[in-house]
Amino acid sequence: MNSFSRTANDSASSDDVAQKLAALSHPARLEILRRLGGGRSCCCKEVVEHLDLAQSTVSQHLKILVEAGLVRYAPERQRSRYQIDEAALAAVSASVAALVNSCCALDGADS
C-alpha cells in the first residue's frame, strides 16, 4: 500500500469532516456558534436577538449545524434548545490540525 492509499474508514472520516467544514463555511453559522459558546444552550429566538437575520434564516442555519453534528438539538415544549457539541467541534479541529501537519510539515531542510 502506498502513502496515497485510503481505507474505507479514512473515506468515511473524510466525508464526515468535509460535511462539518461545509457547515462551518458560512459567516452566519460561525456567529451562531459564537452565540452558543460557553456551554450554554439557547433557543432560536435567543440567537435571533443577537444577529441581524430573520428567524427563519437562523432556523435554517441551526438545522445545517445540527445535521452536521456540530450542534445538539433538544425539543422542549414550545421552544427547542440548541447547544454546541464540543466534542464534535474539537474533533474537527484535531482533523484539520492533523491534515496541516501531514501536508505542510517542514522536514527541517530549510532550517
Side-chain angles (χ1 to χ4, degrees):
M1 182 187 311
N2 67 39
S3 62
F4 295 107
S5 298
R6 289 180 19 170
T7 65
N9 241 5
D10 291 339
S11 180
S13 176
S14 294
D15 290 346
D16 183 56
V17 172
Q19 180 187 17
K20 287 174 173 42
L21 290 173
L24 292 170
S25 69
H26 195 285
R29 285 181 230 139
L30 294 175
E31 287 302 316
I32 290 169
L33 288 175
R34 286 185 186 102
R35 178 67 193 141
L36 295 175
R40 65 179 176 266
S41 68
C42 298
C43 68
C44 184
K45 180 181 177 185
E46 292 169 315
V47 176
V48 169
E49 290 171 356
H50 295 276
L51 299 174
D52 189 26
L53 297 170
Q55 184 273 331
S56 59
T57 302
V58 172
S59 290
Q60 183 60 35
H61 286 303
L62 283 166
K63 179 183 177 202
I64 291 167
L65 290 167
V66 169
E67 288 173 350
L70 296 169
V71 170
R72 288 188 299 255
Y73 163 80
E76 282 186 12
R77 298 186 194 191
Q78 294 181 345
R79 291 188 178 162
S80 300
R81 307 292 293 177
Y82 296 89
Q83 185 174 19
I84 289 178
D85 186 329
E86 293 176 12
L89 205 52
V92 171
S93 178
S95 294
V96 170
L99 176 65
V100 170
N101 287 336
S102 69
C103 295
C104 307
L106 299 176
D107 60 26
D110 295 336
S111 14

